[in-house]
Amino acid sequence: MSLGRNILLWCSRNEWLKNRFPKMKFTRRAVKKFMPGETWEDAISATRKLLENNIPTTFTHLGENITTLEEAEENTKHYIVLLDKINNENLDIEISLKLTQIGFDLSFDKTFELFSQIADKTKSCNNFVFIDIEDSSYVDKTIEFYKKIKKNYDNVGLCLQSYLYRTMKDIEQMMDINPTIRLVKGAYKEPETVAFKSKKQVDENFFKLSSFLINKIKDKNWRAAFATHDMNMVKLIEDEGARLGIDKSNLEFHMLYGIKSSEQLKLAADGYGVRVLISYGESWFPWYMRRLAERPANVSFVLKNLLSR
Ligand code: FDA
């Protein structure tokens, strides 16, 4: 892992920076590249533009590792009101959240109760909710949580990471519950004991897992999403889909707002499923640091904003 990436991931967990950095004007300008604004209205305006090109979205209200159950309840309410709003406006917007946003560090059972409220509302709105995957210390209990919630709700998906050695086994152990998987490479700093270190290995595993999922789309009618901006990987997935005779619209690519925007348009115009994840909210610091760490060249963009006053 490069020094730059290590430093940025360290920053993402630093409380002192978290409290100061977001107040600086130049960072607020720079973050606009990845986030249309701090409110859901901003995210909805951005969605309307994307929908003109057949690109629906997924919303994430930023915030993670909260420390009280009151905050967990507030965050739950936020998603429930948001789901009503999406439904009333008749927009194709799914939601995605971190379990630590609704109390996972505090209580499994309370988180289950709160997530069930969200899943209930999601179901009544005929919508879909994804569970984000956090660092490797959460993976066991997130999978346990997913298996349990999936018994009650069909409209729930789980994100999994190709940088972890364990992911193929995890998917195989979920075969009987017909999971919906959103596959990503992984955004956290992980030790060599649990995660591949080289990009080549992470990419190879991403493709191996993707091939497995594409076969399940074909044989079992699973829904799976390939969440990557790696256009070489996208091409490999397209080819594998074509080889197995999968309809382009059943290959879903998920990308982040502001990254590879022109490729998103091309894929959608070509008939592939494309969904863009839009994050919004005031607590964007750790999330933003992870985005910078994914491509340390982004730091130069932040610096340009510092210099251009
Ligand atoms: P890779 O890192 O190989 O990048 C390929 C190319 O994409 C780069 O060369 C660059 O051109 C471009 N690119 C990638 N990241 C960029 C950035 N930040 N800024 C500018 N350009 C960039 N992770 C996680 O651990 N848990 C989760 O729940 C999620 N959820 C999630 C949802 C969705 C919809 C996406 C797209 C991603 C996530 N992630 C995530 C993040 C994921 O793990 C990963 O860190 C990023 O997607 C970057 O990896 P890529 O697959 O894009 O490839």
Side-chain angles (χ1 to χ4, degrees):
M1 188 183 287
S2 76
L3 181 64
R5 181 159 188 255
N6 266 325
I7 293 172
L8 289 162
L9 290 177
W10 174 83
C11 291
S12 76
R13 297 186 307 273
N14 186 287
E15 283 299 312
W16 188 88
L17 285 171
K18 186 167 134 186
N19 293 329
R20 283 164 186 80
F21 196 75
K23 299 200 177 89
M24 299 174 189
K25 245 191 190 164
F26 79 95
T27 53
R28 297 181 82 85
R29 276 202 305 270
V31 80
K32 280 235 157 212
K33 179 173 155 67
F34 298 122
M35 188 177 86
E38 289 187 354
T39 67
W40 67 27
E41 282 82 4
D42 297 320
I44 285 179
S45 304
T47 299
R48 289 191 197 285
K49 284 200 193 111
L50 286 162
L51 280 172
E52 286 168 16
N53 292 295
N54 247 343
I55 301 182
T57 61
T58 305
F59 279 11
T60 286
H61 183 227
L62 292 169
E64 49 201 85
N65 302 100
I66 50 103
T67 52
T68 66
L69 287 178
E70 287 73 40
E71 286 172 279
E73 276 169 6
E74 258 172 50
N75 287 336
T76 303
K77 241 182 250 153
H78 178 96
Y79 279 112
I80 288 175
V81 178
L82 170 68
L83 282 160
D84 264 333
K85 183 157 179 73
I86 293 170
N87 197 37
N88 294 340
E89 303 222 7
N90 199 17
L91 292 165
D92 186 351
I93 302 171
E94 298 183 339
I95 61 167
S96 190
L97 60 116
K98 292 189 176 18
L99 293 180
T100 57
Q101 230 186 327
I102 55 165
F104 216 35
D105 287 328
L106 307 170
S107 156
F108 185 101
D109 292 344
K110 183 69 185 175
T111 307
F112 195 81
E113 181 196 318
L114 294 177
F115 191 90
S116 299
Q117 290 174 22
I118 295 173
D120 245 353
K121 176 54 96 180
T122 310
K123 193 171 184 177
S124 72
C125 294
N126 201 17
N127 205 329
F128 201 91
V129 51
F130 275 98
I131 297 173
D132 291 349
I133 193 80
E134 301 180 60
D135 72 59
S136 59
S137 65
Y138 289 101
V139 175
D140 273 332
K141 62 177 188 166
T142 303
I143 289 178
E144 182 193 342
F145 187 98
Y146 182 62
K147 284 182 177 162
K148 193 168 171 200
I149 201 83
K150 192 73 170 58
K151 283 190 189 142
N152 304 343
Y153 299 95
D154 215 30
N155 55 322
V156 182
L158 174 67
C159 185
L160 292 177
Q161 299 146 326
S162 75
Y163 66 14
L164 295 185
Y165 305 135
R166 57 178 291 170
T167 299
M168 181 59 96
K169 267 209 184 109
D170 287 335
I171 299 178
E172 282 169 353
Q173 280 169 13
M174 282 189 269
M175 292 287 285
D176 55 329
I177 60 164
N178 285 328
T180 293
I181 304 294
R182 180 179 77 208
L183 185 64
V184 298
K185 289 190 187 173
Y188 298 85
K189 179 168 159 44
E190 297 292 355
E192 215 159 324
T193 45
V194 299
F196 294 110
K197 280 290 114 175
S198 78
K199 176 168 163 50
K200 185 166 175 281
Q201 289 171 308
V202 176
D203 289 356
E204 278 170 7
N205 200 36
F206 194 100
F207 185 61
K208 186 173 154 199
L209 295 164
S210 299
S211 304
F212 184 88
L213 292 172
I214 296 170
N215 272 289
K216 295 298 164 234
I217 295 173
K218 182 179 157 86
D219 298 339
K220 302 241 175 191
N221 212 15
W222 280 14
R223 178 182 177 197
F226 309 97
T228 182
H229 315 95
D230 178 344
M231 299 316 293
N232 292 330
M233 188 62 67
V234 168
K235 177 76 175 75
L236 288 174
I237 292 169
E238 286 176 2
D239 290 349
E240 186 66 358
R243 194 178 70 79
L244 292 173
I246 310 263
D247 195 89
K248 285 181 178 180
S249 61
N250 284 335
L251 284 187
E252 252 186 80
F253 295 104
H254 289 194
M255 296 195 188
L256 300 179
Y257 178 84
I259 302 182
K260 299 273 178 200
S261 306
S262 55
E263 310 291 347
Q264 295 171 8
L265 293 173
K266 271 191 226 149
L267 281 168
D270 208 14
Y272 290 101
V274 180
R275 191 173 279 278
V276 166
L277 191 145
I278 302 183
S279 300
Y280 65 91
E282 289 170 16
S283 314
W284 45 259
F285 180 75
W287 162 85
Y288 184 53
M289 286 297 116
R290 288 198 295 275
R291 297 294 76 80
L292 295 185
E294 280 158 6
R295 194 161 177 257
N298 285 334
V299 174
S300 64
F301 181 77
V302 180
L303 295 176
K304 261 188 232 149
N305 273 284
L306 171 64
L307 298 172
S308 71
R309 272 223 38 99

